[in-house]
Amino acid sequence: MGVPETMMTQGIFGGDRPSASARSILVGGVSGLMLAVSSLASVAIAGDPFRSENPHDIGDKTEKAFEAFFKDSHYPNAEAYLDDALNSEADDPIVPAMKASLLYLEEPDELETEFQEYAAATIAAAEALLENDPLRGNIYLAVGHFLEGGYILKTEGVVRGVPKALQKLQLVFQHLDRAADEDATDPELNIIKGYMDLMLAVSLPFANPDRPIERLREHAAPEYLAQRGLAVGYRDLERLEEAMEAVDRTLELTPNNPEVMYLKAQIYVEKGEHAESLAWFDRALAMREQLLEELVEQIERERNKAQREVEENGDAAEAS
């Protein structure tokens, strides 16, 4: 089963759980970071989705795009808001990073050049930010290099792509370390690094997930993104009761997000409770107009598989 978050569910970095290999390191890391880059929403301080104190200068139009993109997973609205932000707030590197992520999700071959342009624009905007905001400048230099590394892996394949992508990965770690030197407890840094580290811990044998779990619990914000990351990590670690607790908390905070409903359905499937999963698959599908077509198709496939499990096991009555 694929990870149910925005990037992973749609097969961008591979449909199955990663194996312990060079590809798994890159896939897990890129997936986690791409999700963290893309999954931004608002909290108390207008304009800064991460910090309730000492907010950084993040534009209101950018914030609105974030909310549509991942607070509600409403992709048509997100695209419109993001294009608006690109007209006036593209000096914030998170804006071209979000645009690159959207293009990555949509995957049309004819947009290859456009994706590369926005990935490069992320790096350029991050470099320009370094003097006045070295924390966020380094965070988004890491993000930009990860975007480029993920794209190399996707377009060139494992044999040709991994050596080049690993070079990008080294740059990612370098810039995340520099950001941590500025403020190791910063919520924006910790939501991104927490997702990435937890995906790596899930991917690799004998890796210890305790530190990234603590990072997401203690230092990351906004809370609903931290809880969503924990739900994914706990699910893949087969800590399913904790996964359900985290996804329920996420639903409390983002009740109109069909991707979180889909995640809850997947956790029910992992628990072997296929009948219970059907209602949550259906809730997600009832909001299909918000989602990209490929994700809708993925949800339908998993829903149909769960329905077959219910019918074969004679427990269809439980689905009511």
Side-chain angles (χ1 to χ4, degrees):
M1 179 185 298
V3 178
E5 301 303 288
T6 301
M7 293 296 163
M8 285 77 82
T9 40
Q10 300 180 41
I12 291 173
F13 300 107
D16 297 326
R17 290 196 176 114
S19 60
S21 64
R23 181 178 185 275
S24 74
I25 296 172
L26 214 42
V27 169
V30 171
S31 297
L33 185 58
M34 287 282 283
L35 171 61
V37 173
S38 301
S39 300
L40 306 173
S42 66
V43 287
I45 301 298
D48 188 333
F50 307 102
R51 302 166 186 89
S52 58
E53 298 179 358
N54 301 317
H56 289 231
D57 186 13
I58 299 174
D60 291 341
K61 294 178 181 178
T62 301
E63 182 192 26
K64 185 179 289 188
F66 297 163
E67 290 180 346
F69 213 138
F70 288 97
K71 187 173 184 179
D72 295 324
S73 287
H74 199 308
Y75 290 96
N77 284 353
E79 185 166 17
Y81 292 143
L82 188 56
D83 288 342
D84 192 21
L86 281 165
N87 287 329
S88 59
E89 298 173 0
D91 55 341
D92 189 321
I94 205 165
V95 177
M98 283 287 290
K99 182 65 174 182
S101 298
L102 181 60
L103 294 171
Y104 214 90
L105 285 168
E106 293 175 335
E107 291 195 272
D109 294 338
E110 61 269 17
L111 293 179
E112 175 180 341
T113 300
E114 191 175 0
F115 172 86
Q116 293 172 320
E117 289 174 354
Y118 283 112
T122 301
I123 293 174
E127 288 174 340
L129 192 61
L130 280 175
E131 182 176 356
N132 294 325
D133 193 343
L135 172 68
R136 295 193 72 241
N138 276 296
I139 289 173
Y140 287 97
L141 279 170
V143 167
H145 288 301
F146 236 143
L147 287 167
E148 292 188 337
Y151 192 73
I152 289 168
L153 188 67
K154 176 186 174 186
T155 56
E156 297 190 16
V158 175
V159 174
R160 293 181 56 197
V162 162
K164 297 178 185 177
L166 286 175
Q167 291 177 357
K168 288 290 183 181
L169 193 62
Q170 290 177 335
L171 291 172
V172 170
F173 289 138
Q174 179 183 99
H175 287 293
L176 289 177
D177 286 344
R178 290 177 182 174
D181 288 341
E182 297 293 330
D183 185 358
T185 64
D186 179 71
E188 186 172 12
L189 172 63
N190 280 284
I191 195 70
I192 290 176
K193 194 164 175 19
Y195 266 95
M196 184 178 72
D197 288 351
L198 188 54
M199 293 304 104
L200 288 172
V202 167
S203 302
L204 299 174
F206 312 115
N208 187 345
D210 291 344
R211 186 169 182 179
I213 286 172
E214 181 183 3
R215 186 186 299 278
L216 287 172
R217 282 178 170 171
E218 301 297 329
H219 301 298
E223 182 188 356
Y224 90 84
L225 276 183
Q227 291 292 332
R228 184 172 170 178
L230 288 169
V232 174
Y234 285 140
R235 187 209 60 191
D236 290 346
L237 291 166
E238 299 183 356
R239 294 164 59 172
L240 299 178
E241 294 304 322
E242 291 168 288
M244 190 64 75
E245 181 180 345
V247 80
D248 282 343
R249 177 57 180 157
T250 310
L251 280 167
E252 289 177 11
L253 298 168
T254 58
N256 298 315
N257 191 321
E259 287 188 286
V260 179
M261 300 170 190
Y262 171 36
L263 173 56
K264 182 163 183 173
Q266 288 196 319
I267 294 169
Y268 270 125
V269 168
E270 289 291 321
K271 294 179 71 176
E273 298 175 7
H274 298 89
E276 288 80 358
S277 76
L278 296 177
W280 290 97
F281 282 125
D282 288 342
R283 289 187 189 189
L285 289 169
M287 304 175 75
R288 66 178 64 222
E289 73 282 352
Q290 295 183 200
L291 300 172
L292 297 176
E293 182 178 351
E294 185 178 351
L295 180 54
V296 171
E297 292 172 355
Q298 176 69 21
I299 297 171
E300 288 176 336
R301 285 193 295 270
E302 294 186 29
R303 196 258 182 226
N304 292 339
K305 183 177 180 181
Q307 180 67 54
R308 290 193 297 271
E309 290 285 345
V310 170
E311 293 170 353
E312 290 170 5
N313 289 301
D315 58 355
E318 298 180 21
S320 61

